[in-house]
């Protein structure tokens, strides 16, 4: 299968499994993508969707932004491009606090902040684009297995 | 949704067997289960991830939180994981250096 | 899960399995829909998608209409509404040729034309709406199992 | 895509075992296989649908076409199907009255 598959989902955590199912199924038809690479893709897309959903979710008991998030999968020239779009108001990527290395004992104070590092490590390239009212995360996956990963430091 | 939790005891350890998918939708149940164990006085916990099909950063965060919690009680948290797809998530985040990780529950409770 | 899940797919037969996977997964979260009812839904939606794709596909070796087809799944009040939209130019529903009953020996001349009858039998209601450049098929599924089906005559 | 076809012979019948999903994407392969069998002189065919997970109207059409084709050679086409989800498609379209249907290949080749 090539071309584009687009999925619009309610901005709620219980759709994450469906998003993973769809990107997994779209890429499963590509002979060059093996099981491990498909797992990489499922995890990276899931992290991006989690961030999109959390950005739109109500913080103070309100219902949050009810507009759907968009997952767009494009297969072209043997590689996969996945875009995840939200209306969550965007964020300052440069301003992401740098966590201490995981091996640092103080790392244990941080139970979050591994999502974007995982996306970076699992994709071949990622771009965070600011949209009018939110974020578009554009991830590109090549079919080869990851080179020996460097741990986050 | 699809998360299975099952607690047993073994040689002084509480063994929490987890099955299914751990993501931001299901992680709260895992977190609550771990907090309950600690509050009930279980400070030596084995989390058996052998039947976990998917684990995201939220799941990692819950495990880090649990490790922190048992340590404040001078306890221990050991992970059991032999699935390459799940191991890889610990490896690339460097968390294999933070957790005591074993290939089976037997090994986890024997190590000491 | 309630609310709306939307899926845009290239108008090609190899996306049908994905369309079935998605509607099946969306409805799998609904406790009132049992396995059999989910199978009904998957089949009816697959038939509607097949018609949408065939309506857009090139007949004479050309590429056909490259625009995507849309599958829109809505869970509300315990029932499922699925809409399938194409740009296939529409058709005259009243003009559908009536096939002889399947038990008639001459029925064997017809290898087609069971799609819309299946949609009618498997859904609780179906509407074929003409759009500017194609068709919107709107199917509603209630969670109860089908009453004893009457065969097509 | 996901369609498996496997031909064997049994007591003078050609037995075509089909697995996977039959829809408009995969039905052409099923149709070609059936035409090939008839062209090769097999006019008594059992189609074993036991491993079919999904069958749509295109699939039904291919089977109707094959039945027609063997009949022009005074042949026979028998279907094997015991999965309720697949049987239902034949039942609600009334095609159980058109096809000879059996619960197993044994029964299909024994009936005569
Ligand atoms: N799509 C997004 N919209 C708004 N903020 C985002 C988005 N993605 C990431 N962020 C911000 O970046 C932070 C870091 O994200 P991440 O590395 O995934 O860790 P976590 O989500 O666990 O905090 C988030 O806490 C959030 O503030
Ligand atoms: N979405 C559609 N757009 C255009 N024509 C359609 C559409 N759906 C159905 N039709 C027409 O109705 C006919 C009958 O459809 P159906 O009962 O599904 O049988 P089949 O597709 O096997 O012919 C089709 O052959 C086609 O001409």
């Amino acid at each position: 299968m090539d071309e584009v598959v687009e999925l619009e989902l309610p901005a709620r955590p219980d759709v994450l499994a469906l998003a993973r199912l769809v990107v997994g199924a779209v890429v499963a038809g590509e002979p060059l993508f093996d099981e491990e690479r498909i797992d990489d893709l499922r995890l990276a897309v899931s992290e991006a969707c989690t961030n999109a959903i959390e950005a739109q979710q109500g913080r103070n008991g309100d219902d949050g932004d009810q507009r759907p998030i968009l997952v767009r999968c494009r297969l072209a020239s043997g590689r996969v491009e996945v875009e995840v779009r939200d209306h969550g108001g965007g964020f300052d990527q440069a301003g992401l606090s740098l966590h201490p290395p995981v091996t640092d004992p103080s790392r244990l104070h941080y139970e979050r902040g591994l999502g974007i590092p995982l996306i970076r490590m699992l994709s071949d390239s990622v771009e965070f684009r600011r949209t009018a009212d939110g974020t578009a995360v554009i991830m590109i996956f090549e079919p080869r297995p990851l080179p020996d990963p460097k741990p986050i430091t | 949704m699809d998360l299975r939790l099952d607690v047993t005891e073994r040689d002084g350890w509480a063994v929490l067997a987890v099955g299914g998918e751990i993501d931001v939708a299901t992680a709260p149940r895992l977190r609550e289960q771990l907090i309950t164990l600690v509050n009930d006085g279980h400070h030596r916990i084995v989390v058996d991830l052998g039947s976990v099909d998917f684990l995201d950063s939220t799941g990692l965060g819950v495990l880090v939180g649990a490790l922190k919690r048992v340590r404040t009680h001078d306890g221990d948290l050991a992970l059991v994981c032999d699935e390459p797809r799940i191991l890889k998530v610990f490896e690339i985040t460097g968390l294999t250096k933070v957790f005591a990780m074993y290939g089976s529950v037997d090994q986890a409770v024997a190590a000491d």
Side-chain angles (χ1 to χ4, degrees), chain A, chain B:
Chain A
M1 182 183 322
D2 53 66
E3 295 172 5
V4 176
V5 170
E6 254 185 48
L7 185 65
E8 257 184 45
L9 296 166
R12 284 206 320 277
D14 56 359
V15 305
L16 287 168
L18 181 58
R20 293 193 294 268
L21 189 74
V22 170
V23 296
V26 168
V27 183
E30 290 297 288
L32 290 173
F33 280 76
D34 59 12
E35 275 294 317
E36 184 181 353
R37 198 69 189 127
I38 294 177
D39 281 338
D40 291 348
L41 196 144
R42 282 160 37 89
L43 177 50
V45 172
S46 194
E47 296 289 348
C49 289
T50 300
N51 286 345
I53 290 165
E54 293 194 327
Q56 278 189 217
Q57 262 185 347
R59 308 267 170 219
N60 314 308
D62 65 291
D63 272 352
D65 190 324
Q66 293 293 302
R67 279 173 294 173
I69 65 163
L70 178 82
V71 182
R72 193 171 170 282
C73 236
R74 201 162 73 91
L75 290 175
S77 337
R79 63 187 209 176
V80 182
E81 184 188 305
V82 185
E83 178 175 343
V84 176
R85 259 176 195 269
D86 65 60
H87 310 279
F91 70 112
D92 178 14
Q93 212 209 324
L96 286 184
S97 66
L98 284 177
H99 292 165
V102 278
T103 44
D104 186 319
S106 68
R107 177 65 184 76
L108 286 185
H109 296 298
Y110 298 87
E111 296 174 25
R112 309 199 38 149
L114 284 174
I116 290 176
L118 273 173
I119 294 172
R120 291 197 183 286
M121 284 183 289
L122 297 167
S123 64
D124 289 281
S125 86
V126 57
E127 184 192 342
F128 296 84
R129 206 176 282 169
R130 224 180 142 132
T131 62
D133 61 0
T135 307
V137 183
I138 297 137
M139 294 162 279
I140 291 176
F141 300 87
E142 306 280 352
R144 52 157 187 71
L146 278 181
D148 237 25
K150 286 203 250 34
I152 305 177
T153 49
Chain B
M1 231 173 266
D2 177 28
L3 185 78
R4 300 178 300 280
L5 299 172
D6 182 51
V7 180
T8 50
E9 294 217 23
R10 180 89 181 272
D11 303 341
W13 291 79
V15 179
L16 172 59
V18 189
E21 304 202 317
I22 311 181
D23 64 13
V24 78
T26 59
R29 285 178 47 216
L30 177 61
R31 181 184 291 112
E32 277 156 38
Q33 176 65 78
L34 285 162
I35 290 175
T36 302
L37 282 175
V38 176
N39 288 349
D40 289 355
H42 298 283
H43 303 150
R44 304 183 76 205
I45 301 177
V46 174
V47 182
D48 178 0
L49 301 170
S51 302
V52 169
D53 307 309
F54 179 83
L55 173 73
D56 78 349
S57 68
T58 322
L60 293 176
V62 168
L63 296 171
V64 168
L67 177 59
K68 197 168 69 179
R69 210 164 276 119
V70 296
R71 287 214 177 141
T72 63
H73 294 88
D74 287 323
D76 252 325
L77 185 98
L79 300 183
V80 173
C81 177
D82 56 354
E83 262 293 317
R85 58 155 43 126
I86 303 300
L87 266 178
K88 177 173 177 177
V89 186
F90 288 93
E91 276 159 13
I92 64 175
T93 53
L95 286 170
T96 40
K97 297 192 194 110
V98 171
F99 290 105
M101 302 195 69
Y102 301 93
S104 70
V105 174
D106 283 345
Q107 287 167 29
V109 300
D112 220 344

